[in-house]
Amino acid sequence: MRAEWVVLDTEKKAFPFPAVQAQKDRLRLLRNAGYVTEYAAEGIVLLRRPSPGTVVSGSVEQGRGDLPEYDNSDVRVFG
């Protein structure tokens, strides 16, 4: 993942995650990779990438197989 900003909901299931626990796991992964919490309230967390070169291992672009429980055969990725 190379996003400069990431918003996660840690209380309600949100697309494309299969469960809230997966969202919490992603939050932990991002924090361990150095992302910094800029805002957190009522389960919503806003993270900022600390530097342009930060890449989170184990992450790939959404729609390219990072959530194997979903059938992504009809997903088109632009860009």
Side-chain angles (χ1 to χ4, degrees), residues 1-78:
M1 176 174 281
R2 294 186 175 112
E4 185 171 351
W5 295 93
V6 178
V7 176
L8 286 169
D9 188 331
T10 61
E11 293 181 357
K12 297 179 200 165
K13 183 182 168 304
F15 180 84
F17 296 97
V20 172
Q21 186 58 50
Q23 293 157 213
K24 291 178 181 180
D25 292 344
R26 181 61 58 97
L27 176 62
R28 186 172 35 258
L29 176 77
L30 292 169
R31 284 181 172 158
N32 288 342
Y35 275 72
V36 178
T37 300
E38 292 292 329
Y39 173 83
E42 299 179 19
I44 302 299
V45 180
L46 174 64
L47 301 169
R48 178 183 47 82
R49 184 180 64 199
S51 66
T54 301
V55 176
V56 178
S57 64
S59 291
V60 296
E61 291 180 43
Q62 295 296 326
R64 295 195 183 193
D66 63 330
L67 297 170
E69 315 66 283
Y70 288 125
D71 175 12
N72 292 335
S73 61
D74 64 342
V75 174
R76 292 182 290 162
V77 179
F78 299 94

